[in-house]
Amino acid sequence: MKMSGAKRQAGSVWTGANYFILALLSLAALYPLWYVVASSFSSSRAITAGEVFLWPVEFNVLSYRRLMEDGQLFVAMKNTVILTAVGTLFNIVMTVLAAYPLSRRRLMGRNSILMLITFSMLFISGIIPNFILVKFLGLMDSYWGLWLPALISTYNLFVMKTFMEGLPEEIEESAAIDGAGDWLILVRIMLPLCKPIIAALSLFYAVGWWNSYFSVLIYISDTTKQTLSVKLYQMILQVDQSLLTNVSGSEGASQIVLTPEGLKAAAIVIAITPILLVYPFLQKHFVKGVLIGSVKG
């Protein structure tokens, strides 16, 4: 009994130590984000003096007001939502259409196709050939120039294929015996079973489109089509020493100076908030879909 009690006590200590270490690691991961949020609501003087630690110091929303005052940020937000929603839809449709036949062993030439796809994952063409191709196709200044070259992520395709290979083949065979074709099996049977991996890959694709910056910078020169990341970067660049803005607010005669650090913090919060709001709705599918799709096979 004494040994059993000692083992339980040792187990409790070990569990408590694990919780303590995990809590420390979680705080270490979350604190940079929390610091950015606190800095975005703090005064420039407090940020410059290094007084911001856990909570906003001299609370104000001047950085957010500066970013939103001309309305261009809302236009960029709308463009980003369109780019993300349509791009993610295209990605999921094309990934499913490619992964389903590749997951069926009866596909002729399956191994050769997989080898070619793997080759394209290891050896990419580079920026200049892609730019020439997009320009030759007349897709400059169009979102199609972003969507078409990025229709399928090879890595995500393999994750989807692996997930489909893990589904019982007996289900497909039963449907085939009842007269169902490939399209009916894909739409009515495979897709409902693939909800976890579709949710996980949708989040992957959506985050990529939402944060897309370099491709937009290369292919989109029309200022009315620029996305949130590019617009925020341009607005931050404008705040150099010669353009520091003196804002007289409700604080009376005192003048408050905006600094790039405060604007950067506000820009980061604006950029990541929509994705943070979407993530909880996909989280339960996210873990299950990624684990099954990446381990099996």
Side-chain angles (χ1 to χ4, degrees):
M1 292 294 292
K2 289 183 177 180
M3 286 298 294
S4 179
K7 286 183 178 179
R8 282 200 299 271
Q9 186 176 6
S12 300
V13 172
W14 174 251
T15 302
N18 281 335
Y19 276 114
F20 179 73
I21 293 173
L22 290 175
L24 287 180
L25 293 176
S26 300
L27 289 175
L30 290 176
Y31 177 71
L33 177 61
W34 180 252
Y35 175 79
V36 169
V37 175
S39 298
S40 69
F41 290 106
S42 299
S43 69
S44 300
R45 186 205 62 78
I47 298 174
T48 306
E51 298 177 357
V52 180
F53 181 64
L54 282 178
W55 307 106
V57 178
E58 299 172 359
F59 183 89
N60 68 82
V61 294
L62 293 176
S63 296
Y64 292 94
R65 187 193 305 175
R66 173 70 178 83
L67 290 174
M68 298 180 181
E69 61 185 2
D70 58 1
Q72 295 183 9
L73 200 65
F74 295 103
V75 176
M77 183 79 77
K78 182 196 70 176
N79 294 337
T80 306
V81 170
I82 294 173
L83 180 67
T84 302
V86 178
T88 302
L89 178 62
F90 285 163
N91 290 145
I92 291 299
V93 170
M94 297 306 296
T95 302
V96 169
L97 292 179
Y100 174 64
L102 290 173
S103 66
R104 305 298 96 179
R105 301 187 184 279
R106 54 188 166 84
L107 177 69
M108 293 181 60
R110 175 173 176 266
N111 291 334
S112 300
I113 298 173
L114 288 174
M115 189 178 298
L116 290 175
I117 293 175
T118 305
F119 181 84
S120 69
M121 183 171 66
L122 299 177
F123 301 96
I124 57 177
S125 58
I127 297 175
I128 294 177
N130 281 335
F131 179 83
I132 295 174
L133 177 62
V134 171
K135 188 175 182 179
F136 175 77
L137 295 175
L139 299 177
M140 298 295 290
D141 267 343
S142 169
Y143 289 152
W144 289 105
L146 305 175
W147 290 327
L148 289 180
L151 275 179
I152 295 180
S153 163
T154 309
Y155 175 79
N156 291 340
L157 170 63
F158 277 106
V159 173
M160 176 70 79
K161 181 186 77 70
T162 305
F163 186 92
M164 287 183 172
E165 287 176 344
L167 298 176
E169 294 184 3
E170 290 78 6
I171 299 176
E172 182 182 354
E173 293 172 358
S174 299
I177 292 174
D178 292 337
D182 284 328
W183 281 106
L184 190 60
I185 293 174
L186 174 62
V187 175
R188 301 291 295 274
I189 297 176
M190 300 298 288
L191 287 185
L193 295 175
C194 290
K195 283 182 180 178
I197 192 65
I198 290 176
L201 296 187
S202 296
L203 185 62
F204 283 161
Y205 281 125
V207 171
W209 285 116
W210 187 268
N211 294 326
S212 59
Y213 169 74
F214 192 62
S215 58
V216 178
L217 205 62
I218 293 176
Y219 299 124
I220 304 294
S221 57
D222 187 347
T223 56
T224 62
K225 295 181 180 179
Q226 288 178 340
T227 58
L228 187 62
S229 299
V230 176
K231 180 57 67 178
L232 287 173
Y233 179 70
Q234 291 176 347
M235 297 176 76
I236 291 172
L237 281 183
Q238 293 173 359
V239 187
D240 56 16
Q241 193 61 35
S242 62
L243 293 177
L244 288 178
T245 305
N246 296 326
V247 180
S248 299
S250 58
E251 294 80 2
S254 63
Q255 287 189 328
I256 300 176
V257 178
L258 293 177
T259 60
E261 287 73 17
L263 284 176
K264 289 176 184 176
I268 292 172
V269 173
I270 292 173
I272 66 174
T273 297
I275 293 297
L276 290 178
L277 294 178
V278 171
Y279 180 76
F281 297 99
L282 299 176
Q283 193 271 340
K284 62 178 181 180
H285 302 297
F286 180 78
V287 176
K288 181 180 178 183
V290 171
L291 283 180
I292 296 177
S294 59
V295 172
K296 284 189 175 181

